[in-house]
Amino acid sequence: IASLIQRTGIKWIRDHWGGQYDASAGEYRSLDPTLLLAREHGLCYLPLSPYWNAKQMEEVDGVWRHDAGARQAEAYARKHRGYFDAYELYNEPNNFGGWTGRFGGSWNGGGWLAPFVDFGRQITRAIQRGDPDAMVLWPEGDVFVLTKQFVEAGARPELDAIAPHTYSLHQPSYPEDQPFLRSIAEVKDFLRQARLSDQIWSTEVGFPSFSAPPDHKGFHRALTERQQADVLARMMILHLACGITKVFYYDFYEDGHDPTNAEHRFGIVRRRTMEPKPAVVAYANLIHWLTDAQFLGHYRESTQRRWSRIR
């Protein structure tokens, strides 16, 4: 998979961090194998934290803590100090790790948000003790809503930069209808006023090519493989024109075998054969053109004009 990623021209990969962690000693015994793979293939790596479970949170003097997670985060950052520009704090806490189950709430916030801010501040400090130069990206959704609540709940100064998941979950599911991008002027104004970094890393965005069953009621619109390729290129151009710092497509190869399951068909490489789908060819061509400095200057000027009209 890594060699295919390299051939495509993709330069960044993202995954949950790994390696041999010795909890009794509070240290990692080995480098993360994904880091070794990235170094071998000339790729940059964005490490994403494990899914620490909200059931393990403890309230001490009015502050929610996850001391075991903090020890692990500091040990990982210390072991890998200097290898990473950034870490991602957590992946969709509303969906994973039991946050809404224990504290209540939904995708847009609620009961889980305040304890998560305590957790996020603790883990961020732990990572930066291990690697003081690293930036830590905090989660955001497909709509700009969590960052505002994080700031109101006291996430500063630990909250520095954000990582939205800019899926097009709102019909019609075209990239220019994506609500985060349509509110990008508001997003940047808020980041500036809150003295947050203007870097925005979209760490998940993708489009599945699948055959919708007759009773399909999911978030995602069924696309053909050719349509998936078209919207991937369109999405990348719009994100970059809006000033998104980095865009991570979710995901590189298919996650399952069911052609009617959207979650199995986000990939741009087929699961069984590792053959490319049209989207990976479109992606490679787009990267080729965007690395041409003359084309890139023309692209930025023209797409920014077009986007201002769309907005």
Side-chain angles (χ1 to χ4, degrees):
I1 294 171
S3 63
L4 284 174
I5 292 172
Q6 182 187 48
R7 285 176 57 196
T8 301
I10 294 169
K11 291 300 183 185
W12 281 80
I13 57 175
R14 166 185 180 261
D15 205 348
H16 290 282
W17 73 52
Q20 299 173 355
Y21 176 62
D22 184 338
S24 61
E27 62 182 41
Y28 273 82
R29 300 296 192 184
S30 64
L31 289 175
D32 187 331
T34 306
L35 170 63
L36 298 177
L37 193 70
R39 290 171 63 190
E40 180 183 350
H41 291 87
L43 304 172
C44 299
Y45 172 31
L46 174 62
L48 171 62
S49 77
Y51 283 130
W52 289 302
N53 200 296
K55 293 180 180 179
Q56 299 172 313
M57 295 287 289
E58 297 181 350
E59 191 175 16
V60 180
D61 297 330
V63 177
W64 289 96
R65 302 177 59 89
H66 198 304
D67 292 346
R71 287 192 293 271
Q72 185 178 359
E74 182 175 356
Y76 182 89
R78 185 171 58 249
K79 178 73 174 181
H80 301 85
R81 181 173 179 172
Y83 285 118
F84 303 122
D85 294 332
Y87 291 77
E88 191 169 357
L89 172 62
Y90 204 88
N91 184 73
E92 298 180 3
N94 55 290
N95 283 337
F96 304 104
W99 292 90
T100 56
R102 178 169 183 181
F103 298 110
S106 68
W107 178 275
N108 292 327
W112 64 269
L113 193 137
F116 183 81
V117 166
D118 289 344
F119 163 84
R121 295 187 67 187
Q122 182 185 20
I123 299 300
T124 299
R125 289 194 297 265
I127 290 172
Q128 292 178 337
R129 283 196 300 271
D131 189 349
D133 295 327
M135 179 172 61
V136 180
L137 305 165
W138 282 50
E140 180 58 270
D142 65 318
V143 177
F144 186 62
V145 64
L146 297 180
T147 303
K148 298 176 184 177
Q149 298 178 76
F150 288 154
V151 171
E152 291 172 1
R156 294 285 293 136
E158 283 75 16
L159 194 167
D160 183 37
I162 62 172
H165 287 182
T166 49
Y167 291 101
S168 295
L169 303 179
H170 305 266
Q171 297 295 334
S173 299
Y174 292 104
E176 54 266 43
D177 298 311
Q178 209 285 324
F180 190 94
L181 296 190
R182 294 194 72 87
S183 65
I184 196 70
E186 173 198 348
V187 172
K188 291 184 176 181
D189 284 345
F190 181 88
L191 296 179
R192 183 165 49 251
Q193 292 170 14
R195 300 189 302 277
L196 301 175
S197 171
D198 61 357
Q199 293 201 42
I200 302 171
W201 293 34
S202 179
T203 53
E204 277 191 31
V205 57
F207 305 90
S209 62
F210 69 105
S211 302
D215 59 347
H216 175 66
K217 295 186 176 71
F219 288 116
H220 300 284
R221 183 167 60 94
L223 301 175
T224 66
E225 290 189 352
R226 174 57 187 268
Q227 289 171 328
Q228 181 191 41
D230 290 343
V231 294
L232 185 154
R234 192 182 190 107
M235 175 272 297
M236 287 286 181
I237 289 172
L238 284 170
H239 275 62
L240 295 174
C242 284
I244 303 295
T245 306
K246 297 193 187 300
V247 189
F248 290 77
Y249 185 84
Y250 179 87
D251 50 0
F252 190 72
Y253 76 107
E254 295 176 336
D255 288 348
H257 303 289
D258 184 354
T260 66
N261 186 332
E263 295 297 329
H264 288 188
R265 287 295 189 264
F266 277 93
I268 54 180
V269 171
R270 295 187 179 89
R271 184 176 181 86
R272 284 192 176 92
T273 62
M274 299 306 292
E275 294 174 337
K277 295 162 71 174
V280 78
V281 180
Y283 203 170
N285 285 333
L286 184 67
I287 291 169
H288 169 73
W289 283 107
L290 294 185
T291 51
D292 183 297
Q294 183 177 359
F295 178 84
L296 182 58
H298 169 73
Y299 140 80
R300 282 177 173 159
E301 180 181 351
S302 62
T303 51
Q304 285 171 357
R305 285 200 306 269
R306 291 171 189 163
W307 181 254
S308 66
R309 290 199 296 271
I310 293 171
R311 187 167 62 243

